[in-house]
Amino acid sequence: MKKTAQKILSLLLAVTLLASAVPILTAFAADNTPVVYVFGKQDIYKTDENGNRVELFGDGDYLNALLDGAVPMIAKGVLTGDWDEYVDHALGVLLPAFEGFAMRPDGTLPEGTGINWSWSESSLRPDYHIGSHPVYIFRPDSRLSPMVIADQINDFVGAVKRRTGASRVMMLSRCEGTALASAYLYKYEKDDGFRDLEKLIFINSSVNGVGYVDAMMTGNVSIGADSAYRFLHNIDAYTKIFKETDTSLDAETLSLISDVVEALHETYGINLTAAMLNRMYGQLKDSFFAPLIRAYWGVSLSFVSCVNDHYEDYADYLFGERKDDYATLIAQADDFHYNVQLREGELLQAAEAAGVPVNVIVEYGIQQYPVSEDSDMIGDYMISVEKQSFGAKTCKVNETLPESYRKARADAGFGDYLSPDRQIDASVGLFPDNTWYVRNLIHVFPGQLDRLMEEILRDGANVRTTTGGQFLNYKPEEPLFVRAEAVNDNDYHFESEEPTGVKNVVNRLIALLRRVIAYVKDIIAGIEGHAKGTLPPVE
């Protein structure tokens, strides 16, 4: 009898312990929800005649070749506006670089090209962890339409769920990846109650458009003198964005650039220079820039997803009378723009209504490329805060929100949503309580943000942030703004998303810049020679 009682007592104790463990185990499992991270642009490779994998702009000294023997042609163009000779020379140098890489007009990819990444369900492993959450990175071929890549993301999400046993995933996306994630939401989640998703995180969101891409792809480039001055004044900081290559300018070159920029600024020369460059762009945009962009970027549809403000100009500008030849590509671009991009707010609000929190991380404090209408607005050097944040009220880089506006917002009870630097009113963004603003970060995803990411994955809207030296500290009583100090190279926990093809261009542009400085005297001499009728013959 005594043994029977002991067995019954032991059984009851075991049941009690098991019952108490269930919520603990459930909570632990929930804390380990896998994260699918949708990357943006990736390197594109092709196989050459020798069987070697060659990257875009990976071979050939294309940019330096633009200047070789071209001084008389450039001088003629600057002086007379006749750029025909130089356009023929420059396109003859650059267009061969794209051969075999670009999407065909019928929407198919050239054989033997692609990205250096593939996956299978049996080989899926986490790429890294954010806290206890395993992160699985999806890498796209951004030549494809976001709507096509959405199918691939759906397959990837299903594989991650089966591999991990999870019923749902958290989806993190950054830059161009936010457009791809949005296409996935539209095609696979919105009509199914978003049941595969537990949380959404957008970083440096490009889905509302990227100013400089929009301007270049639609023929609406406009160089602003003030924004150009700020950009050139901080040019060394921009070269250091590309972490894997030594692209920083030497001290002598930087000093020369700084002296020239300051002299131009003080004498209004930068205004004259900007006016001259805008005039030159007007002369070259159809004959040079349109065919150059059409050769690769204009037919890479995930890149085209960055066009929004002037989308109606996209097809006319790049394809003109050849629109019928590119009808398949244009239809795919239209599908994303009209069904996803223009309905993005509605799509994300539907996710929230279905119980899937949408979290947004915005970076700012860096001058944007000075070629678009919104380049004077605060941003992360590529995308404005207004676009990243889905509608926050902002101001120009060197200004603050008007005092009367700030007072009215504070009186209305929204003072906590005004940034300490007085440049942002977060209350009018689409997700005011789920958006974080990080000052002085340049369109990157450094390890410095890991703690913020970990808090968002765990607690979402309850996160509030402040600063502490090199690292972010989280205090619930503080406002939701953070100020990030200098970021070290070691803070980057995995490879940059910038494609090597872009890094190659930047690396060579820096070398080219050194040469341009030396060429200035020759170009001036060439202009003088043209005026005197003594130009050397063009070879």
Side-chain angles (χ1 to χ4, degrees), residues 246-292:
D246 179 18
T247 56
S248 57
L249 298 172
D250 59 78
E252 183 179 357
T253 303
L254 277 174
S255 177
L256 178 57
I257 293 173
S258 178
D259 289 345
V260 170
V261 169
E262 289 300 329
L264 288 172
H265 185 63
E266 291 173 6
T267 61
Y268 298 99
I270 202 159
N271 296 71
L272 296 175
T273 302
M276 181 188 72
L277 291 174
N278 283 322
R279 183 174 66 253
M280 289 169 57
Y281 174 75
Q283 295 165 349
L284 289 167
K285 75 173 189 176
D286 294 321
S287 62
F288 176 69
F289 287 105
L292 180 65

Side-chain angles (χ1 to χ4, degrees), residues 391-460:
K393 172 78 171 176
T394 65
C395 60
K396 292 183 177 180
V397 172
N398 58 339
E399 297 179 1
T400 60
L401 294 171
E403 184 177 357
S404 58
Y405 176 88
R406 300 196 312 269
K407 184 178 185 305
R409 296 303 291 165
D411 291 344
F414 296 103
D416 286 345
Y417 294 93
L418 298 172
S419 62
D421 59 16
R422 300 172 295 172
Q423 290 193 306
I424 300 172
D425 176 7
S427 69
V428 295
L430 195 59
F431 305 104
D433 293 316
N434 288 44
T435 303
W436 293 268
Y437 298 81
V438 186
R439 184 182 172 92
N440 292 344
L441 278 184
I442 309 180
H443 196 78
V444 291
F445 182 18
Q448 188 182 29
L449 290 183
D450 272 358
R451 290 184 60 196
L452 175 60
M453 285 295 305
E454 187 176 350
E455 293 287 340
I456 291 174
L457 292 176
R458 180 171 64 244
D459 209 19

Side-chain angles (χ1 to χ4, degrees), residues 306-333:
C306 297
V307 178
N308 190 9
D309 290 345
H310 299 96
Y311 182 80
E312 301 301 330
D313 296 333
Y314 158 70
D316 288 336
Y317 172 62
L318 286 188
F319 307 116
E321 295 179 355
R322 297 187 60 192
K323 282 196 292 186
D324 288 345
D325 296 336
Y326 289 87
T328 299
L329 288 182
I330 294 170
Q332 291 181 358

